[in-house]
Amino acid sequence: MAVIQPNISLSRRLRRTPFSDGVEAAGVKGYTVYNHMLLPTVFESVEADYHHLKRHVQVWDVACERQVELRGPDAGRLMQMLTPRDLRGMMPGQCYYVPIVDETGGMLNDPVAVKLAEDRWWISIADSDLLYWVKGIANGWRLDVLVDEPDVSPLAIQGPKAEDLMARVFGETVRAIRFFRFGVYQFEGRDLVVARSGYSKQGGFEIYVEGSDIGMPLWHRLFEAGADLEVRAGCPNLIERIESGLLSYGNDMTDDNTPHECGLGRFCNTHTAIGCIGRDALLRVAKEGPVQQIRPIAIAGDAVPPCDRFWPLYANGRRVGRVSSATWSPDHATNVAIGMVKMTQWDAGSRVEVETPDGMRDATVHENFWN
């Protein structure tokens, strides 16, 4: 019996982006919904997009990475209340990967914080309605800060030729931008924040396009400048993401998980992050240590089916965790996966079994991700 793939019914509730016209002209074949917006998932095919990303350069519409802007005298205080990462040494011009936690230490989001000035920050969020949590904290504590969602839409330039393309559009000085730092560059008379960052391990930049009206002019300029670099429209790639161990909020972790369970303990300076709302809970977690943690897992056999729900993990007939993301890796000739594994089985080399829709599969816990 043939399986009918359902379609996403588009409406105004699923917001288009400043780059949607370009995405559609480039032949997008699939979308997902992310922060109530359209996020492309495939152009030629997931595997073809993967090979191209690793060899050339792609332009990604990631406008769904919405910004929560904090403006005002208490902006820095509010930012520190949200995260267990100590932000005292962060300077304007820097970007930090910051776990955002609730009062129990559970993960609410894992965004990038962009410090524009002492009194102005952007939180470039993953897929959750973080804006309302931040507004609630600001109002509940009567902080002198304005919290809103500005008209800022990120455009990612990813792949080994990304730097060459960016230099053609913004000038040679973009090459000097260090990882997780940003500069301000002009396009059509508009100041744009350009950061060396992105949701891949292939290298690249994210352009924070402030003002929807210049979205398509910038899109066209990038494609004109990169014609001989084999530039294509692209999107975050499932295969490359899992190989690289890039976690997806809502897939690999939820508010039931602490940063330590997600392997993000290195981003928690709980003892010195004074004011963090979840600090007391995380001090206990840091002292006791997690009983389960994210691990890379190789699954034996032919290509696994799509992983759209948790797959149980077993060892000696007992449940020891779950797989949350999995796919076939052409470059590594195995099924690569991200799983939450109990302490008893999380050591590299541990043998487990995964219950997939196609039946039980042998699997092995890896020491490191593949990229």
Side-chain angles (χ1 to χ4, degrees):
M1 181 177 177
V3 177
I4 299 175
Q5 293 294 334
N7 294 319
I8 293 177
S9 296
L10 303 183
S11 73
R12 289 192 62 218
R13 289 185 299 104
L14 299 183
R15 293 183 292 174
R16 291 172 64 82
T17 82
F19 319 109
S20 290
D21 288 346
V23 165
E24 290 166 359
V28 65
K29 291 181 178 176
Y31 286 112
T32 189
V33 179
Y34 194 103
N35 283 327
H36 312 287
M37 296 190 83
L38 295 171
L39 171 63
T41 56
V42 61
F43 284 85
E44 185 178 350
S45 71
V46 174
E47 188 167 320
D49 294 351
Y50 160 85
H51 288 304
H52 182 269
L53 172 62
K54 286 192 163 187
R55 290 168 174 78
H56 303 292
V57 59
Q58 295 180 351
V59 178
W60 294 1
D61 173 3
V62 285
C64 62
E65 293 174 2
R66 303 312 297 162
Q67 308 305 301
V68 175
E69 181 168 331
L70 317 181
R71 279 180 293 155
D74 287 335
R77 179 186 175 194
L78 175 56
M79 190 68 237
Q80 186 63 84
M81 292 176 74
L82 301 173
T83 179
R85 185 165 184 180
D86 190 340
L87 304 178
R88 289 178 299 174
M90 187 178 180
M91 303 296 293
Q94 286 187 288
C95 310
Y96 272 18
Y97 180 74
V98 289
I100 302 288
V101 298
D102 64 14
E103 74 283 0
T104 70
M107 293 281 296
L108 292 177
N109 208 279
D110 68 325
V112 172
V114 181
K115 187 173 183 178
L116 301 164
E118 293 297 336
D119 61 352
R120 189 181 182 210
W121 299 65
W122 285 339
I123 310 173
S124 190
I125 64 172
D127 186 23
S128 78
D129 291 311
L130 192 71
L131 175 67
Y132 305 123
W133 170 262
V134 180
K135 278 182 172 288
I137 299 301
N139 284 280
W141 285 77
R142 298 176 182 262
L143 299 179
D144 188 3
V145 61
L146 178 65
V147 178
D148 62 10
E149 179 185 306
D151 182 14
V152 174
S153 300
L155 191 65
I157 315 302
Q158 300 289 297
K161 300 177 184 176
E163 191 173 282
D164 291 338
L165 176 56
M166 289 292 288
R168 293 180 184 184
V169 175
F170 293 102
E172 288 295 316
T173 58
V174 297
R175 298 185 189 273
I177 299 175
R178 291 160 56 193
F179 183 63
F180 261 45
R181 290 183 180 266
F182 68 83
V184 177
Y185 292 83
Q186 281 213 334
F187 179 78
E188 294 193 349
R190 199 81 56 84
D191 286 341
L192 302 180
V193 168
V194 175
R196 190 181 287 271
S197 57
Y199 197 53
S200 84
K201 287 288 184 73
Q202 306 310 309
F205 299 82
E206 288 179 300
I207 308 166
Y208 291 80
V209 181
E210 195 165 3
S212 298
D213 57 305
I214 60 169
M216 284 311 301
L218 177 57
W219 177 279
H220 290 311
R221 177 73 185 98
L222 288 161
F223 278 87
E224 291 164 3
D228 63 323
L229 299 176
E230 297 192 48
V231 63
R232 287 188 197 170
C235 51
N237 184 269
L238 177 68
I239 306 170
E240 198 274 343
R241 174 181 83 77
I242 297 175
E243 288 179 352
S244 301
L246 299 176
L247 304 185
S248 169
Y249 186 81
N251 281 319
D252 305 311
M253 54 187 169
T254 69
D255 58 0
D256 289 330
N257 303 119
T258 67
H260 297 79
E261 290 179 338
C262 302
L264 303 177
R266 65 190 183 281
F267 298 109
C268 298
N269 315 106
T270 315
H271 286 281
T272 57
I274 307 300
C276 171
I277 285 172
R279 181 170 178 261
D280 289 345
L282 288 178
L283 282 170
R284 292 192 296 271
V285 170
K287 182 178 180 180
E288 298 167 5
V291 297
Q292 60 178 359
Q293 201 165 59
I294 291 282
R295 286 290 187 268
I297 298 170
I299 303 175
D302 296 334
V304 291
C307 182
D308 61 355
R309 64 206 69 188
F310 290 138
W311 294 348
L313 275 177
Y314 296 95
N316 302 316
R318 300 181 66 179
R319 180 81 176 261
V320 294
R322 70 195 188 205
V323 164
S324 52
S325 298
T327 192
W328 175 260
S329 166
D331 283 359
H332 298 279
T334 189
N335 292 294
V336 294
I338 297 172
M340 186 72 75
V341 187
K342 289 186 177 179
M343 181 192 302
T344 54
Q345 303 298 136
W346 73 24
D347 289 341
S350 292
R351 301 296 180 90
V352 291
E353 288 184 298
V354 185
E355 185 178 347
T356 77
D358 288 349
M360 299 297 288
R361 298 278 192 104
D362 291 333
T364 305
V365 177
H366 263 228
E367 182 173 3
N368 299 304
F369 285 94
W370 292 264
N371 281 347

